[in-house]
Amino acid sequence: MKSIKIALTAVLICLVSFNINAQSGKYKCMLQMSNYMGEGAYIVVSLINAKGDYEKTLYVMGDDKKWYKSLKEWNKFHTAQKSDDISAKTGASVTGGDRSITTIEIENSKINKGYKLRFESAVEDQKYYVNDLEIPLTTEGLAEKTEGKGYIRYVRLNKI
């Protein structure tokens, strides 16, 4: 009887784990920077809802918090959200011509529902791009290479 309970518990744990993993997908995010001169860029990747509002911070490239204020629009959201803990979602800033590869997690329920990923960028003593690039969270949008408008040359996502 005890071994049956253990087996049923193991099956239940596997089913719950599968259901949790099925609710979101992991994507390899390859970001290529343009060849600009200057310091490393701070870049934030945010989930933007169908109304155009920030919903969640997915990743931050740049770990010195004193420079977060240079990402003006995102910083307003981040400082207002006491629950927006980004400590596990940060990495190094990226300099001109460099490439960065990170992993971001996207909830499957957000795909094909009007959401998008916004890449916001800033470089010390240079221009700030609130919308360096945006990727629509559609099946097609996630499969395409997206060109940037500022410090980012392009971004490509691959489901892993």
Side-chain angles (χ1 to χ4, degrees):
M1 188 68 170
K2 187 175 181 178
S3 62
I4 293 173
K5 285 183 181 180
I6 292 171
L8 288 174
T9 302
V11 168
L12 182 61
I13 289 170
C14 288
L15 287 173
V16 168
S17 295
F18 176 76
N19 190 33
I20 289 170
N21 289 335
Q23 293 176 5
S24 65
K26 290 189 178 186
Y27 292 82
K28 182 168 62 171
C29 176
M30 200 280 286
L31 179 140
Q32 176 67 51
M33 299 298 287
S34 63
N35 290 320
Y36 71 88
M37 300 299 289
E39 299 293 324
Y42 269 57
I43 298 168
V44 65
V45 183
S46 301
L47 178 67
I48 305 296
N49 65 28
K51 295 178 184 176
D53 299 325
Y54 289 88
E55 192 162 296
K56 185 177 183 181
T57 304
L58 299 177
Y59 200 77
V60 180
M61 295 173 202
D63 54 7
D64 190 343
K65 293 178 182 180
K66 76 177 182 178
W67 298 110
Y68 289 172
K69 65 181 180 261
S70 64
L71 297 160
K72 298 171 188 165
E73 293 302 312
W74 168 77
N75 193 52
K76 288 180 202 174
F77 163 77
H78 173 64
T79 55
Q81 298 294 317
K82 302 297 181 206
S83 63
D84 192 32
D85 181 18
I86 61 167
S87 58
K89 305 175 201 173
T90 59
S93 60
V94 191
T95 57
D98 281 352
R99 179 176 289 176
S100 172
I101 298 176
T102 57
T103 301
I104 58 174
E105 195 165 333
I106 302 170
E107 295 173 43
N108 294 334
S109 64
K110 308 297 184 191
I111 298 173
N112 296 318
K113 303 286 190 214
Y115 285 80
K116 57 189 166 187
L117 299 180
R118 176 179 292 161
F119 288 72
E120 205 165 322
S121 64
V123 172
E124 184 180 356
D125 297 325
Q126 294 192 43
K127 189 172 179 177
Y128 158 65
Y129 292 93
V130 68
N131 182 3
D132 200 328
L133 70 84
E134 288 187 345
I135 299 173
L137 279 185
T138 61
T139 307
E140 300 80 24
L142 289 169
E144 296 175 357
K145 178 172 107 174
T146 305
E147 301 289 327
K149 301 174 191 164
Y151 304 109
I152 300 172
R153 184 170 168 212
Y154 67 85
V155 168
R156 182 178 302 249
L157 298 171
N158 290 315
K159 188 161 174 119
I160 51 176

